[in-house]
Amino acid sequence: MSWSTREIAELAGTSLRAVRHYHEVGLLAEPERRANGYKQYGVPHLVRLLRIKRLVDLGFSLNQIAETVDEGEHPGRALRTLDAELAATIERLQRARLELATLIEQRAPADLPTELTPGEATVLSETDRSLLLVMTRLMNGEQLQAYGALVRNLPAHPINREFDELSADAGEHIRQDLVERMVPYLRRLRQDHPDLPDLYTDAPKGVRETMETVLRELYNPAQLDVLHRTHVIVDESTQPRPGRNATERR
């Protein structure tokens, strides 16, 4: 007795597409064809296909199946390897479920890690969110926690909206006025979050270059100018005074 491709797929509990793919990758030999050109599968094909299906259901990749399906003995090493891979997958999924529970409970944005979940009063522009998202790839765990504390407690301030709406052709007096009003705001943030890392100036060269590229893409020239002036003033005000302990700041 012989079966068509559709019939053997149904018998094995798989799909036509899967059977054809197993032929393509060399897992299942092509059967002989009838006079009308249709394939005719026999019992050996069905047994082989059932073995492949069993290993697929266990979680083996097709490459692993190619190395395992013909083994007559217990494939102990392959099973142990698969078990370790499944354990790692389960651990990853459990972490994902915990994060999802936090996101649902806190009504937090899904694109940011839970460490950077904004507080109820925090207002982030699309540019802010984009910058934070890139920074998550540049920060270690401690830095994420430090920035998370800032984001959760970021006070609402009209200066943030003014900066976001600053046009690229803003004149010198507008820029300078914004700088003068941003300096005390930024100083306050630095005082409230002394452990906040500066990924722009204190980071390794590769991180600095990435940050520079991202900032140039996200902010217009006037905003970049205001950022630079503001940070220069704030950084100068936090440098150690001559003759004083280096850990003391103004």
Side-chain angles (χ1 to χ4, degrees), residues 122-175:
T122 303
V123 179
L124 295 177
S125 67
E126 184 60 32
T127 300
D128 294 333
R129 291 165 64 94
S130 298
L131 180 60
L132 278 175
L133 189 57
V134 173
M135 290 172 66
T136 62
R137 299 298 304 159
L138 306 176
M139 293 187 289
N140 58 36
E142 291 183 1
Q143 292 172 329
L144 272 176
Q145 293 294 336
Y147 267 96
L150 170 65
V151 173
R152 285 190 299 274
N153 300 284
L154 191 64
H157 198 290
I159 200 74
N160 292 321
R161 178 179 291 274
E162 288 187 53
F163 177 79
D164 291 335
E165 296 177 351
L166 185 67
S167 63
D169 59 354
E172 169 60 24
H173 68 286
I174 295 177
R175 299 187 193 191

Side-chain angles (χ1 to χ4, degrees), residues 34-176:
R34 301 187 180 112
N36 59 9
Y38 288 101
K39 297 174 183 175
Q40 52 179 3
Y41 294 86
V43 172
H45 296 101
L46 177 59
V47 171
R48 174 81 171 189
L49 188 55
L50 287 169
R51 285 176 175 164
I52 294 171
K53 176 67 164 53
R54 168 62 176 165
L55 295 176
V56 167
D57 289 344
L58 283 173
F60 279 88
S61 68
L62 295 187
N63 286 337
Q64 291 171 322
I65 291 174
E67 299 172 356
T68 306
V69 69
D70 292 321
E71 290 188 12
E73 300 179 359
H74 176 69
R77 185 175 66 176
L79 290 172
R80 286 190 292 273
T81 298
L82 177 60
D83 182 63
E85 292 174 356
L86 291 176
T89 299
I90 290 171
E91 182 181 355
R92 177 180 59 79
L93 292 174
Q94 287 175 334
R95 289 198 305 268
R97 288 201 67 198
L98 289 174
E99 284 203 36
L100 285 173
T102 301
L103 292 174
I104 293 170
E105 179 182 354
Q106 299 182 2
R107 302 177 62 85
D111 57 334
L112 295 174
T114 53
E115 294 92 339
L116 294 178
T117 297
E120 292 185 4
T122 303
V123 179
L124 295 177
S125 67
E126 184 60 32
T127 300
D128 294 333
R129 291 165 64 94
S130 298
L131 180 60
L132 278 175
L133 189 57
V134 173
M135 290 172 66
T136 62
R137 299 298 304 159
L138 306 176
M139 293 187 289
N140 58 36
E142 291 183 1
Q143 292 172 329
L144 272 176
Q145 293 294 336
Y147 267 96
L150 170 65
V151 173
R152 285 190 299 274
N153 300 284
L154 191 64
H157 198 290
I159 200 74
N160 292 321
R161 178 179 291 274
E162 288 187 53
F163 177 79
D164 291 335
E165 296 177 351
L166 185 67
S167 63
D169 59 354
E172 169 60 24
H173 68 286
I174 295 177
R175 299 187 193 191
Q176 184 59 32

